[in-house]
Amino acid sequence: MMGRAVSPVFVGRETELADLAEALRRARGNSAATVLIGGEAGVGKSRLVGCFAERAAAEGVHVLVGGCVELSTEGLAYAPFTAAIRQLVRECGADEVAALLPEGGARDLARLLPEFGEPSGDVESDTARARLFEQILTLLERLAGHRPVILVIEDLHWADRSSRDLIAFLSRNLRTAPLLMILTYRSDDLHRQHPLRPVLAELGRLDGVLRMDLPRLTQAEVAAQMAGILGTVPDFAQVDSVFRRSEGIPLFVEALLECGGDCAFPDSLHDLIIGSVEQLPEETQRVLRVAAAGGTRVGHDLLAAVSGLSGPDLDDALRPAIAANVLQVADGRAYVFRHALIREAVHDELLPGEHVRLHARFAEEIGRDRTLVPPGRAAIEIAHHWYSARDDVWALISAWDAAGKAAKTFAHNEMMKLLERVLTLWSKVPDAAERIGVDHTTVLEKAAAAALASGEVDRGSKFAMAALEELDERAEPARVARLLVQRSQLRKSRRKPGVLDDLRHAERLVPEPGLDRADVLSKLGSYLTFSGEVAEGTTLTEEALRIAREHGDESLEADLLLNLALGHSIAGNLAATIAVNATAQAIGERVGSGRITLRAIGNNVDALNNMGRSAEAIELALEGERLARKYGRYRAQGTFIANNRAEALEALGRFEETARLVEYALRMDPTLRTRHHLLRVRGYVAVARGETEVLRSVLTEVGAFGGAHEEFMQELSADARLLIGFHMLSGEPLAALEVAERVVREARIMSKPMLGWRVLGLLGRICEAVERLAPGRVAALRGQIEKAAATMTVDSPVADAYRLGLIHDHDAAAAAWERLGRPFPRARSLLHAGRAAAAAGDRAGAATRLRTAYPIAVALSARPLAAEIETLARRVGASLAAETGTAEPGAAEPALTPREVEVLRLVAKGLSNRDIAAELFISAKTVSVHVSNILGKLGVSSRGEAAATAHRLALIG
């Protein structure tokens, strides 16, 4: 047998090393990068990464290494990050690492490593996991601020869901830090349904991500590998034989050489790998079988306990395996198989009885002394081994215990899988409830909660339904009510009907004024308020608030105050909104709840913007975002505040800043609802600037094209605004009218003054745009608008400015928008005022208004608005350049004459030749000639194609 089966000389891979070096060079230039290295098992991924990392470390780069393990697929969460941070703690000390984190951040990391002390008391699963992600992001960014960092994560094909989510989060958000992430995975393990596939697809779309597929070695490279192992140049026949049999996979080259020259051709790769192990002494093989049952890595003391060998006897048995490089000595008095395939091959050799016996021994020894495995791993290790030992009783007990440990690290998906194992084993253990101290329904409830927290909505719904079927609401009404609330949240997250029915049913089950009722009323009141049923929502919220105060629950009191403030906002009492939010914020600060504090700030940012105090809103938002970073809550709540800041920026016409902020906040992976809010704000900018494709993308993602069920008035209003804008930009005025007719029937939208007046103002403008095309429908729509307006109040200068536009007092509206510092609606109001002046025969007045509006539209890059101003200016014979000092722009490319552009604009609006003739005071025959010329110049065959081409090329507004 060969003494060493690994070449001391690194062979080949020059191209891959060069690519890695280039990625590191970019990272050093403060442009974080990620490299995905895929390849077959045994092709040399770890050797490549190890060689590169060694060179980088010699140049002063800080290299951190973590690996995923098979146990991760069963519920061991964050294994690669725990290993990398533990390495950092060994190198620097826990105090120095903690100093790199925001205030209190070390307590979040304590959920992964006990070296950081007691975990934080925050158990709010919706924000705590996001905060943990932010702490790790901050740690890496600040660490890289001292010197460049390489983070290596191996065997990504075994990664748990939480680690995959964290990797995707870091790849999106490590933008400017001098940090390189290198991720390896077995490409031949990725079957069609493998959970890593969508993650790789997502990462592959990000900037700064390089995907590398590691090829097999060439024959010349195999020859060089053999020479390194043998210490001499092999002859051609031997190289040819090994190359053919190994097919260029380095691990198999090593295995063939270990077999020696007389090695027969193996029946399988398993036989090839196991052949080298079988040449070891019998006692060594026995210890290797024990080690294989323990996993790829096993501690010395644990191996001694399970094998039953004393120190010297164990050393004697291990020495041949280490000398043959089957096992390697690792940090922390542990042994690791040189390659996972070797461990798998040895483990597969276990006899059935041996398999059961060894896994049971590992479970027993770890249960006896949990320090035999790394901190935080004992529970899942025990669960794994009892399950592998096929001991149903202890497998159930240990899975329940491991699920509880997963909950403490907010590894919700892993917790759900372990609870599914408990449910699967339940029928096999007659006294299961007594064994774990809870009934079957409780396990279902916890599984449903874990599924909801991890986004597994369909599975969560099944768990909740199963739990409800097991309960009698007459015997346990409060428990059924909690489950109904849980099911309502699952339904709401998927926009499925039945949310309100579940909440009302839950409310009827808890009539007594206790905290159970307050919790239900909190959800029901909030849902009704968001849906526009403000009076009932407020009444229920006030009842819950009284209960919370009676029971001294300040956190619940603050949340209910925030819900109450929302009702004030929708009802138009913005001053009360700000005051109540401030009261809730004070409670949050007093009880030390960052979540409540940030929620209050975010809501007041929105209120200030709705009052027209947008500059103040932006300043408050910046303070809120600063606090969100301090509390480690930017992803969960800072993005919500950033969305409200983006709305204020958009209102002030700071479109480019808005787009950049939205892009940044989206990279932080916010909740789905916040993501959709951010996309809608980006859509508002797209409407103003005529970015049709951006708008199409936004509407597609939020589900507006497919008629997605939106129960909340804010989303209904926003989607209507964007859909109308899209149809008008696309030359589909009648489609825009159809949306307007649908929206005006939504009384809920009109319940909030600012939203209602904005929508009615938009509908009024649609009436003006399409009146020639559908006069009867427009007349009916105008009647509905007037009816809705008669029921509405004005709660702020913003709402009043929209109202002035609706009643056609455009000059007053323009003046109002100017006072509010909102340039886009000001320019639009000036255009309408100019149009009214032109219709009254006041060409000079129209020209004055247009010359004021035009430079505003140009400065905002509001191309559609600028084009409309140019069109009207030509109609009234006004020169826009006279008072702006700006050269008269061409509204179209040189190929079209100004008159043709005019005709094309009206064609895009859907007007017939006769209508265009009336609009431009020319004959229908002349229009026909212009249309023919336009079609020829644009290279299209129909009026619809001409309209679409005109919008795509920005020839018209």
Side-chain angles (χ1 to χ4, degrees):
M1 176 175 185
M2 300 298 167
R4 179 181 179 86
V6 178
S7 172
V9 178
F10 187 73
V11 174
R13 311 305 193 197
E14 289 85 0
T15 300
E16 289 77 14
L17 285 171
D19 288 342
L20 286 168
E22 174 59 22
L24 179 58
R25 186 194 65 77
R26 289 200 309 271
R28 284 176 179 268
N30 291 328
S31 180
T34 300
V35 179
L36 303 168
I37 303 179
E40 301 166 273
V43 82
K45 301 180 293 294
S46 296
R47 187 77 191 274
L48 168 66
V49 172
C51 176
F52 175 72
E54 186 177 336
R55 296 180 183 180
E59 296 174 0
V61 177
H62 196 162
V63 179
L64 298 175
V65 180
C68 305
V69 295
E70 284 183 274
L71 206 56
S72 295
T73 61
E74 294 190 34
L76 178 60
Y78 304 113
F81 294 97
T82 301
I85 297 171
R86 181 168 286 119
Q87 174 195 333
L88 187 60
V89 169
R90 284 199 306 269
E91 293 172 353
C92 308
D95 290 342
E96 188 173 332
V97 175
L100 294 170
L101 294 165
E103 181 182 335
R107 297 185 65 194
D108 290 318
L109 289 191
R111 296 185 181 278
L112 303 184
L113 280 82
E115 292 92 327
F116 291 109
E118 283 296 313
S120 64
D122 187 352
V123 294
E124 296 166 347
S125 61
D126 58 336
T127 60
R129 182 172 181 264
R131 196 175 63 251
L132 177 62
F133 281 23
E134 286 189 54
Q135 304 294 15
I136 294 175
L137 171 65
T138 301
L139 174 63
L140 292 172
E141 287 178 330
R142 294 182 178 178
L143 184 67
H146 296 287
R147 56 173 168 146
V149 171
I150 292 177
L151 174 61
V152 177
I153 297 179
E154 295 227 58
D155 297 319
L156 205 57
H157 51 278
W158 285 329
D160 57 285
R161 163 75 179 274
S162 296
S163 292
R164 293 195 303 268
D165 289 349
L166 180 50
I167 287 166
F169 173 75
L170 293 175
S171 297
R172 285 191 296 269
N173 291 285
L174 283 167
R175 310 289 284 190
T176 58
L179 186 144
L180 172 63
M181 274 205 303
I182 302 176
L183 315 172
T184 73
Y185 62 94
R186 285 190 199 170
S187 55
D188 48 337
D189 271 15
L190 301 190
H191 53 78
R192 183 172 297 178
Q193 300 300 318
H194 197 288
L196 184 59
R197 279 189 175 274
V199 178
L200 294 175
E202 178 188 351
L203 294 179
R205 291 190 291 268
L206 298 176
D207 292 337
V209 176
L210 170 66
R211 193 160 178 174
M212 183 187 299
D213 293 311
L214 200 60
R216 298 177 178 185
L217 298 180
T218 65
Q219 184 164 343
E221 290 168 339
V222 168
Q225 182 188 7
M226 291 173 64
I229 294 171
L230 299 170
T232 184
V233 178
D235 60 46
F236 176 80
Q238 187 182 15
V239 171
D240 185 59
S241 173
V242 171
F243 178 68
R244 281 187 295 101
R245 295 163 71 185
S246 69
E247 298 182 334
I249 296 178
L251 181 67
F252 300 158
V253 173
E254 296 167 2
L256 284 167
L257 293 181
E258 285 176 332
C259 289
D262 298 329
C263 179
F265 191 81
D267 292 331
S268 67
L269 297 179
H270 169 87
D271 294 337
L272 174 62
I273 293 170
I274 207 68
S276 60
V277 175
E278 290 176 341
Q279 298 182 48
L280 295 168
E282 194 62 41
E283 184 65 1
T284 300
Q285 291 186 51
R286 186 184 78 81
V287 173
L288 285 175
R289 289 195 294 274
V290 175
T296 303
R297 178 192 181 99
V298 61
H300 177 89
D301 293 340
L302 178 59
L303 185 58
V306 175
S307 67
L309 294 176
S310 63
D313 291 339
L314 181 59
D315 291 342
D316 290 342
L318 288 172
R319 190 166 283 108
I322 294 170
N325 205 28
V326 174
L327 279 184
Q328 296 172 340
V329 179
D331 293 336
R333 284 171 48 81
Y335 305 103
V336 60
F337 282 88
R338 183 177 94 238
H339 197 284
L341 285 177
I342 299 175
R343 189 207 72 82
E344 293 167 16
V346 174
H347 189 263
D348 289 346
E349 289 291 298
L350 294 177
L351 297 172
E354 190 178 25
H355 183 281
V356 168
R357 187 171 61 255
L358 285 176
H359 281 288
R361 289 285 299 123
F362 270 103
E364 290 166 350
E365 292 299 335
I366 298 170
R368 190 173 295 118
D369 182 1
R370 295 193 170 217
T371 64
L372 291 172
V373 295
R377 287 184 58 162
I380 189 63
E381 291 266 8
I382 294 169
H384 161 71
H385 287 299
W386 280 127
Y387 190 66
S388 298
R390 300 177 178 84
D391 186 313
D392 294 335
V393 172
W394 283 106
L396 179 142
I397 295 170
S398 58
W400 174 255
D401 180 57
K405 297 297 189 296
K408 292 180 179 178
T409 61
F410 308 109
H412 307 298
N413 189 267
E414 292 71 24
M415 177 186 179
M416 180 188 70
K417 288 182 177 179
L418 288 162
L419 292 173
E420 284 181 315
R421 181 182 294 177
V422 173
L423 293 167
T424 300
L425 292 168
W426 195 272
S427 61
K428 299 179 182 180
V429 182
D431 57 347
E434 290 74 18
R435 292 279 187 174
I436 63 174
V438 300
D439 60 12
H440 188 261
T441 308
T442 298
V443 181
L444 285 169
E445 288 173 312
K446 289 186 176 295
L452 175 61
S454 61
E456 296 285 349
V457 177
D458 291 336
R459 292 162 85 178
S461 297
K462 291 176 182 177
F463 292 135
M465 290 289 291
L468 284 168
E469 288 173 3
E470 294 183 2
L471 293 175
D472 181 351
E473 66 179 47
R474 291 169 297 183
E476 298 181 276
R479 192 174 183 186
V480 172
R482 286 193 295 272
L483 269 169
L484 287 168
V485 170
Q486 191 175 70
R487 188 172 70 178
S488 76
Q489 303 311 296
L490 287 160
R491 284 176 166 171
K492 186 171 74 172
S493 66
R494 279 294 179 90
R495 298 177 176 178
K496 289 185 177 180
V499 176
L500 187 56
D501 291 339
D502 276 347
L503 290 173
R504 289 199 183 281
H505 186 182
E507 185 268 333
R508 291 193 296 272
L509 290 174
V510 284
E512 298 302 318
L515 288 176
D516 286 328
R517 178 168 178 79
D519 285 334
V520 173
L521 293 180
S522 173
K523 298 290 192 302
L524 177 57
S526 173
Y527 185 85
L528 288 169
T529 301
F530 270 113
S531 301
E533 303 294 335
V534 180
E536 184 183 3
T538 298
T539 299
L540 294 174
T541 301
E542 288 173 340
E543 180 187 347
L545 186 59
R546 288 194 296 272
I547 296 171
R549 284 171 172 163
E550 288 169 4
H551 286 78
D553 191 331
E554 286 194 292
S555 292
L556 180 57
E557 177 187 356
D559 277 322
L560 289 164
L561 283 170
L562 291 167
N563 293 348
L564 197 62
L566 172 67
H568 291 321
S569 173
I570 293 172
N573 191 348
L574 294 176
T577 299
I578 291 176
V580 174
N581 280 332
T583 301
Q585 182 179 342
I587 294 174
E589 291 168 351
R590 184 169 67 251
V591 302
S593 172
R595 179 187 64 80
I596 292 171
T597 300
L598 293 173
R599 186 182 169 202
I601 290 173
N603 289 353
N604 265 350
V605 171
D606 181 64
L608 287 169
N609 189 46
N610 289 344
M611 294 178 76
R613 295 158 60 181
S614 301
E616 290 178 62
I618 290 169
E619 290 305 312
L620 180 60
L622 289 169
E623 172 62 13
E625 289 176 72
R626 185 190 67 77
L627 287 174
R629 292 188 180 91
K630 175 183 175 182
Y631 299 150
R633 290 178 172 271
Y634 194 88
R635 183 187 180 210
Q637 291 182 273
T639 51
F640 172 75
I641 297 174
N643 171 77
N644 288 350
R645 176 159 68 98
E647 289 184 342
L649 288 168
E650 187 270 338
L652 294 178
R654 292 157 65 174
F655 292 160
E656 197 56 43
E657 288 180 72
T658 305
R660 287 198 302 269
L661 177 56
V662 168
E663 181 183 1
Y664 170 77
L666 288 174
R667 288 203 306 269
M668 296 299 291
D669 192 25
T671 63
L672 182 62
R673 192 167 184 221
T674 299
R675 177 178 178 81
H676 284 178
H677 284 326
L678 286 160
L679 288 169
R680 289 179 175 108
V681 177
R682 181 63 182 88
Y684 302 155
V685 175
V687 170
R689 299 201 301 201
E691 299 167 328
T692 309
E693 290 309 311
V694 172
L695 186 53
R696 187 194 307 276
S697 175
V698 167
L699 288 166
T700 300
E701 182 164 346
V702 301
F705 282 138
H709 183 67
E710 285 292 0
E711 296 185 341
F712 294 155
M713 59 183 178
Q714 186 170 348
E715 284 85 345
L716 279 169
S717 168
D719 287 353
R721 180 181 171 189
L722 295 175
L723 276 169
I724 288 172
F726 175 80
H727 289 309
M728 293 303 292
L729 288 174
S730 302
E732 301 165 347
L734 292 178
L737 177 61
E738 185 177 335
V739 175
E741 291 168 332
R742 196 164 60 240
V743 171
V744 78
R745 294 192 292 270
E746 281 285 356
R748 290 177 296 161
I749 295 179
M750 310 309 165
S751 63
K752 184 173 183 178
M754 199 282 291
L755 287 182
W757 287 115
R758 183 170 66 189
V759 168
L760 292 183
L762 173 61
L763 301 190
R765 294 194 297 276
I766 292 300
C767 288
E768 293 181 9
V770 301
E771 189 165 17
R772 287 178 178 273
L773 299 176
R777 290 169 64 186
V778 165
L781 178 59
R782 281 204 171 110
Q784 290 174 294
I785 293 171
E786 290 171 5
K787 183 178 178 182
T791 67
M792 291 172 57
T793 60
V794 174
D795 67 338
S796 70
V798 177
D800 192 49
Y802 283 121
R803 182 191 65 81
L804 290 169
L806 180 65
I807 64 175
H808 304 295
D809 193 348
H810 298 299
D811 284 322
W817 291 124
E818 183 178 14
R819 288 192 297 273
L820 290 167
R822 301 192 174 189
F824 182 78
R826 180 192 174 207
R828 187 174 57 205
S829 294
L830 287 168
L831 167 64
H832 289 297
R835 191 170 284 148
D842 183 6
R843 289 176 174 258
T848 299
R849 292 169 175 84
L850 296 179
R851 279 195 289 268
T852 303
Y854 187 68
I856 298 173
V858 171
L860 295 173
S861 297
R863 289 179 289 274
L865 180 58
E868 285 193 75
I869 295 170
E870 292 163 2
T871 298
L872 183 57
R874 282 193 296 273
R875 288 190 61 196
V876 300
S879 171
L880 297 173
E883 296 184 15
T884 64
T886 305
E888 186 88 42
E893 294 181 342
L896 298 181
T897 66
R899 179 59 84 183
E900 285 168 351
V901 170
E902 268 305 293
V903 172
L904 178 56
R905 181 182 67 82
L906 298 174
V907 166
K909 285 189 173 185
L911 272 64
S912 67
N913 286 358
R914 186 183 301 276
D915 291 331
I916 295 172
E919 177 78 7
L920 300 180
F921 306 105
I922 57 179
S923 70
K925 184 175 181 180
T926 301
V927 173
S928 177
V929 172
H930 283 311
V931 170
S932 296
N933 291 339
I934 290 167
L935 297 181
K937 289 181 179 181
L938 296 181
V940 297
S941 58
S942 70
R943 297 166 78 97
E945 290 179 5
T949 301
H951 286 296
R952 187 175 69 253
L953 299 178
L955 301 178
I956 61 173

